[in-house]
């Protein structure tokens, strides 16, 4: 992987790529395309941070993040893919899945949240499901963020000692430490069944989060056939005249205290 990417180089290239993401967003909206991006990988592999950088300058009316909670009792009785289908994009939309239907191939299998029969049924149906999405015109891209056991443990330690990020560390994350090998085997089986010519997995090496973010975004931009859309010309009008309008006196309204004035 090499040394950590220089911060100035990282920030300059990230900003350039984010400008391209805005162009891609406008192409998706203007062309009526539907884009789905899956972010998968081990806990603390850098998925959330990358999603944050992808969406930083994008329009939340066009780009949505789908991070589904545990299924309800009713959802457990549905076809497995059913609750994910309702989050798929309509024309002109982008959906980023922060974990996806591949939960069944990873945490559900390893932690015993599904039966062996349900796991095998998922592996049988997933290629068909994704082929149907692609045949219907959805642009589907799958990214696996790869991190070593040593680096994952270091990031867990950092989160444990940081009150601003401790919320990121769940009991399930800590449990995953004891099941590293089981998760590795589950991931290998998942790849063997779902890394397909029409729906390949793209592995993002994420020992260095800066490199991972840059590499993932650059690849996505290269994989989506977007073109620059000419923005409509906008002219800022002159402010309208107030006429007989009089602004209410400040003392008639409730104002937040001036906390900033207490700073020095």
């Amino acid at each position: 992987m090499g040394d950590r990417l220089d911060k100035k180089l990282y920030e300059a290239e990230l900003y350039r790529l984010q400008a391209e993401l805005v162009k891609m967003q406008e192409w998706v909206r203007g062309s009526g395309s539907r884009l789905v991006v899956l972010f998968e990988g081990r806990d603390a592999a850098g998925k959330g941070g990358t999603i944050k950088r992808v969406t930083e300058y994008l329009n939340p009316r066009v780009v949505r993040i789908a991070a589904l909670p545990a299924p309800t009792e009713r959802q457990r009785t549905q076809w497995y893919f059913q609750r994910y289908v309702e989050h798929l994009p309509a024309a002109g939309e982008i959906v980023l899945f922060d974990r996806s239907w591949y939960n069944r191939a990873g945490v559900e299998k390893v932690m015993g949240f599904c039966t062996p029969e349900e796991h095998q049924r998922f592996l049988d149906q997933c290629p068909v499901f994704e082929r149907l999405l692609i045949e219907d015109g959805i642009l589907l891209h799958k990214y696996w963020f790869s991190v070593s056991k040593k680096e994952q443990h270091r990031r867990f330690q950092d989160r444990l000692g940081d009150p601003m990020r401790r919320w990121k560390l769940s009991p399930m994350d800590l449990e995953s430490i004891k099941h590293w090998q089981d998760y590795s085997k589950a991931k290998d089986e998942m790849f063997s069944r779902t890394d397909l010519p029409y729906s390949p997995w793209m592995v993002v090496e994420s020992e260095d989060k800066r490199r991972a973010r840059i590499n993932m975004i650059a690849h996505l931009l290269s994989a989506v056939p977007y073109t620059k859309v000419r923005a409509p010309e906008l002219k800022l009008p002159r402010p309208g005249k107030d006429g007989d309008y009089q602004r209410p006196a400040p003392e008639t309204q409730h104002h937040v205290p001036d906390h900033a004035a207490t700073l020095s």
Side-chain angles (χ1 to χ4, degrees), residues 55-177:
T55 60
E56 187 170 2
Y57 295 103
L58 301 184
N59 185 344
R61 293 183 177 86
V62 177
V63 182
R64 291 184 286 109
I65 300 171
L68 277 60
T72 65
E73 288 300 321
R74 181 175 183 274
Q75 288 172 332
R76 288 191 181 97
T77 68
Q78 297 174 340
W79 178 48
Y80 176 72
F81 294 95
Q82 188 168 336
R83 75 187 188 115
Y84 294 99
V85 168
E86 63 182 276
H87 293 276
L88 293 173
E93 294 180 350
I94 300 170
V95 177
L96 312 178
F97 279 91
D98 185 356
R99 297 200 179 278
S100 66
W101 46 85
Y102 282 99
N103 275 338
R104 175 140 293 179
V107 64
E108 290 194 17
K109 171 182 168 53
V110 173
M111 303 307 297
F113 297 155
C114 68
T115 66
E117 292 76 19
E118 288 171 330
H119 174 245
Q120 285 303 315
R121 187 182 308 124
F122 168 81
L123 292 177
D124 289 338
Q125 292 184 351
C126 186
V128 180
F129 174 67
E130 292 181 359
R131 179 172 56 78
L132 291 173
L133 298 182
I134 294 166
E135 287 181 352
D136 200 60
I138 287 178
L139 303 173
L140 176 64
H141 296 278
K142 307 187 302 192
Y143 292 96
W144 176 270
F145 286 71
S146 178
V147 67
S148 68
K149 183 190 297 187
K150 181 179 179 181
E151 178 61 17
Q152 183 194 52
H153 194 267
R154 187 193 68 78
R155 293 177 186 177
F156 281 166
Q157 289 280 17
D158 286 348
R159 291 180 180 182
L160 198 60
D162 185 349
M164 301 296 283
R165 296 190 297 155
R166 191 166 183 170
W167 63 269
K168 291 185 174 183
L169 199 58
S170 70
M172 193 63 65
D173 294 335
L174 298 178
E175 191 69 19
S176 70
I177 296 175

